[in-house]
Amino acid sequence: MSEPRLTNGRSWRFDAPVVACAYDINGIGAFALGDGTLRVFAADQPPKTINVHRGAILALSAHPEGGFLTGGDDGRLVHTSVGEPPREIYVHKSRWIENVAVSSESGLIACTSGKTAIIFQGDQATEFTHATTATGIAFDPNKGRRLAVSHYNGASLWWAKSATHEPRVLGWKGSHLSISWSPDGRFLISSMQENALHGWRVEDAADMRMSGYPAKVKSLAWDRRGRALFTSGSSRVVGWTFTGRNGPMGREPVEIGPDRDGIVQVVAAHPELDLIAAGTSDGAVWFEWIGEPGANFAMLNGAKITTLNFSPDGAHLAIGSEDGFAALVQAA
Amino acid sequence: MSQVPVTVLTGYLGAGKTTLLNRILTENHGKRYAVIVNEFGEIGIDNDLVVDTDEEVFEMNNGCICCTVRGDLIRILGGLMKRREKFDAILIETTGLADPSPVVQTFFVDEDVKEKTRLDSITTVVDAKHIAQRLRESNEAVEQIAFADQILLNKTDLVTAEELANVEKIIRSLNPLAPIHRTERCSIELDKVLGRKAFDLAHALELKPHLLDGDEHDHEHESGIVSVSLSSAMPLDGDKVTAWLRSLLTERGQNILRTKGILDVKNRDERLVFQAVHMVMEGDFQSAWKPDEKRYSRIVFIGRDLDEAELQRGFSACVA
């Protein structure tokens, strides 16, 4: 295995794939790994290992109360705060927890287990069941009381309060693999099996198709003002405009970054600047300013990049890859 | 990192799949298997590497009407790859009632699955005592045999020699290519079952269908599934044969379950090896013919309502 070339940062090699990365509300970062551990890092210290899951961690998010929320293939949903033993919130043996979601507005947390999405409020768990597997979940960005769930042939919208009501179903034939709200809550975007995105205007369920990708779109990043959506799935980052009532309908997307052989796997948008970071299938990470062509490479020659996250203050970019290589580089 | 081999295990309820799975999971054979099952309760083994799933067959919006994939497998294989170092190979058990096509097509259609795994074989477990009746009752039981790369003919101790010979004849009429292993309680050396490389084009250097003798040739199974084997000693025109296969599989792919071929193409030293599952075809030039080897082309189709004369005409027109 050749060592990746890194400019300007610290790096580690873990002995399991890096699945995800997140920063908690106190600015502490964590990599989630395929061996069930979290590697928690702060300031200039080396990462600390916390054993959380028995198998692989499949999903990671910052917990609204601090620390991290993880789902694993051991069927457990766990809250890990630094300095405390991990606390199990839910377990269903023989069913993986493949997705987690949180809302800082409502303090609600949720996960998926097979066909069921579960919302947790205090000690109370409410289950929302679908005809097929719940493949992605997201709380609405306004009040955080409405949960969108992607599944086969569309998405369902549930109010967190009660599981007894019928969901509002947004239909579109095919296999939807994940779901994301626009930051203003006006649009829902799903990624599909057929290398395309599908969008709905929430107000009237108007459909939008965003297609033409050579690969599946696995990563979506909204710019800090919520005016554009940057996406993976092509050799360059593809950006769709979401200003105006019609969003991207009838408009050509913009392309950002160098045209290389590798396919962009992950995209991240800087929290304060008009700066995009992308990680590729051939282990490159680059930055580019929106509207100013010309990329700066932060990394080259690594393994497939699996996660990219800007720190909340925008000073650093955390990088994780499939072969266990992880790094923290200075942003821009 | 190398692709993980995947064995798909099919077979009607009660044929002995669970017995075989339990053997693979408990015997000391030096390999670690991740197992994807549908009837979790049946496997009485608490093992981190046993994953339960609900079969979810999804249609692809790609204009190919018969193209269905297993959405659950795409997700689970992706998840398993996050702890890739924990196992050497993967086994997928399908429910007794499953049509094998969506499972197999998943490995040809999904880019992520293709990148990380390779289909090793479709292995079908058959109950020698009850299969004849199953085949009359169930279309899926017929397809499971027609699709197979190898067949474990199990419970051979429960039938007479004559019954056994008859069952083999029925199996051969549905699938002339798959080797048949006779077993009792699925007792077989596991390295005969696993690591077959049945979908590896480089591995397919010859194609020897077990054809039934003369007068039995026309006895087609009541399911309508037959196999047609074509051969030619004259070299073929590479462009013509490719175009013919493409249009044939596009038009008739719904009825053609599997196709395998090794072709002698004019002006090429290497053999053209190809295979298809319904409409999804892949092919490549593989190792060169040896100087003393008899060069000839052979194609075997397994499918429903195949018109042998029409296939023969199409094939003959490809001679260079």
Side-chain angles (χ1 to χ4, degrees), chain A residues 59-240:
Chain A
L60 166 72
S61 182
H63 194 287
E65 294 161 13
F68 301 95
L69 181 69
T70 52
D73 63 12
D74 55 358
R76 295 162 68 234
L77 178 70
V78 180
H79 180 195
T80 305
S81 294
V82 181
E84 289 172 40
R87 184 175 67 87
E88 184 179 281
I89 299 171
Y90 172 85
V91 62
H92 184 325
K93 234 179 156 262
S94 91
R95 278 276 178 252
W96 295 1
I97 307 277
E98 291 180 86
N99 301 280
V100 298
V102 302
S103 169
S104 49
E105 280 69 24
S106 63
L108 293 173
I109 67 171
C111 72
T112 64
S113 170
K115 294 170 183 173
T116 307
I118 309 162
I119 298 180
F120 300 88
Q121 190 161 27
D123 291 338
Q124 197 190 335
T126 315
E127 300 197 350
F128 304 83
T129 299
H130 309 83
T132 56
T133 297
T135 55
I137 45 172
F139 282 107
D140 81 84
N142 297 324
K143 292 190 176 147
R145 307 220 137 261
R146 210 169 188 199
L147 187 72
V149 182
S150 58
H151 45 71
Y152 188 48
N153 288 341
S156 294
L157 288 171
W158 300 90
W159 292 104
K161 275 196 283 249
S162 81
T164 52
H165 72 283
E166 287 294 308
R168 180 169 165 219
V169 177
L170 300 168
W172 187 260
K173 204 169 168 308
S175 188
H176 300 261
L177 307 175
S178 70
I179 192 119
S180 172
W181 293 85
S182 63
D184 58 10
R186 290 193 304 138
F187 299 98
L188 269 168
I189 308 298
S190 80
S191 71
M192 301 202 63
Q193 173 73 28
E194 293 85 6
N195 304 346
L197 295 174
H198 189 78
W200 293 277
R201 188 165 54 203
V202 177
E203 172 196 342
D204 59 358
D207 291 301
M208 294 171 258
R209 269 181 69 64
M210 290 157 268
S211 55
Y213 292 91
K216 272 189 231 173
V217 186
K218 291 178 184 157
S219 171
L220 305 180
W222 296 91
D223 89 298
R224 62 203 167 93
R225 299 187 191 89
R227 296 189 309 201
L229 174 66
F230 297 99
T231 63
S232 69
S234 184
S235 57
R236 307 176 70 191
V237 167
V238 177
W240 302 89

Side-chain angles (χ1 to χ4, degrees), chain A residues 6-69:
Chain A
L6 197 68
T7 56
N8 211 2
R10 298 190 284 155
S11 68
W12 307 277
R13 188 172 283 284
F14 305 127
D15 46 16
V18 181
V19 174
C21 172
Y23 283 91
D24 88 338
I25 52 172
N26 304 310
I28 296 170
F31 292 107
L33 267 61
D35 62 2
T37 62
L38 282 176
R39 310 292 173 119
V40 177
F41 57 91
D44 293 333
Q45 282 150 27
K48 221 165 70 183
T49 303
I50 306 177
N51 291 306
V52 183
H53 289 272
R54 216 173 136 199
I57 297 179
L58 300 174
L60 166 72
S61 182
H63 194 287
E65 294 161 13
F68 301 95
L69 181 69

Side-chain angles (χ1 to χ4, degrees), chain A residues 15-17 19 33-35 54-58 73 93-96 98 115 131-135 152 172-175 192-195 214 216 218 304 322, chain B residues 40 46 48 50-54 56-62 69 71-72 74-86 109-113 115-116:
Chain A
D15 46 16
V19 174
L33 267 61
D35 62 2
R54 216 173 136 199
I57 297 179
L58 300 174
D73 63 12
K93 234 179 156 262
S94 91
R95 278 276 178 252
W96 295 1
E98 291 180 86
K115 294 170 183 173
T132 56
T133 297
T135 55
Y152 188 48
W172 187 260
K173 204 169 168 308
S175 188
M192 301 202 63
Q193 173 73 28
E194 293 85 6
N195 304 346
K216 272 189 231 173
K218 291 178 184 157
K304 186 186 277 186
E322 197 175 66
Chain B
F40 196 66
D46 185 27
D48 288 347
V50 178
V51 186
D52 190 13
T53 184
D54 287 327
E56 292 188 331
V57 175
F58 292 160
E59 282 172 32
M60 293 283 297
N61 296 329
N62 60 0
V69 295
D72 59 314
I74 297 174
R75 279 198 339 275
I76 285 173
L77 291 169
L80 281 174
M81 288 308 139
K82 289 169 181 149
R83 43 180 172 137
R84 167 75 185 86
E85 74 290 353
K86 300 281 192 230
V109 169
D110 187 85
E111 292 296 330
D112 296 328
V113 170
E115 181 188 332
K116 301 291 184 192

Side-chain angles (χ1 to χ4, degrees), chain B residues 199-299:
Chain B
F199 286 85
D200 184 352
L201 293 176
H203 200 73
L205 293 184
E206 50 185 53
L207 199 57
K208 285 188 179 156
H210 299 260
L211 296 173
L212 298 173
D213 305 334
D215 64 337
E216 285 170 311
H217 187 71
D218 293 321
H219 284 196
E220 111 179 16
H221 189 262
E222 56 212 276
S223 63
I225 289 198
V226 289
S227 62
V228 171
S229 173
L230 306 173
S231 64
S232 165
M234 312 266 284
L236 305 178
D237 180 311
D239 293 337
K240 274 190 195 163
V241 75
T242 310
W244 172 62
L245 285 166
R246 266 188 218 297
S247 80
L248 178 70
L249 293 174
T250 306
E251 285 164 29
R252 305 287 173 81
Q254 245 176 320
N255 281 336
I256 301 175
L257 306 182
R258 291 194 69 171
T259 312
K260 289 187 183 185
I262 294 173
L263 307 177
D264 174 20
V265 172
K266 193 174 181 181
N267 301 330
R268 290 295 299 227
D269 291 333
E270 306 88 21
R271 59 200 96 201
L272 177 59
V273 181
F274 77 94
Q275 61 178 327
V277 173
H278 288 300
M279 297 179 187
V280 190
M281 176 167 72
E282 60 174 28
D284 203 356
F285 281 100
Q286 292 294 339
S287 62
W289 299 95
K290 293 192 195 86
D292 54 347
E293 198 173 6
K294 190 184 152 211
R295 293 172 64 139
Y296 75 108
S297 300
R298 169 162 265 164
I299 302 183

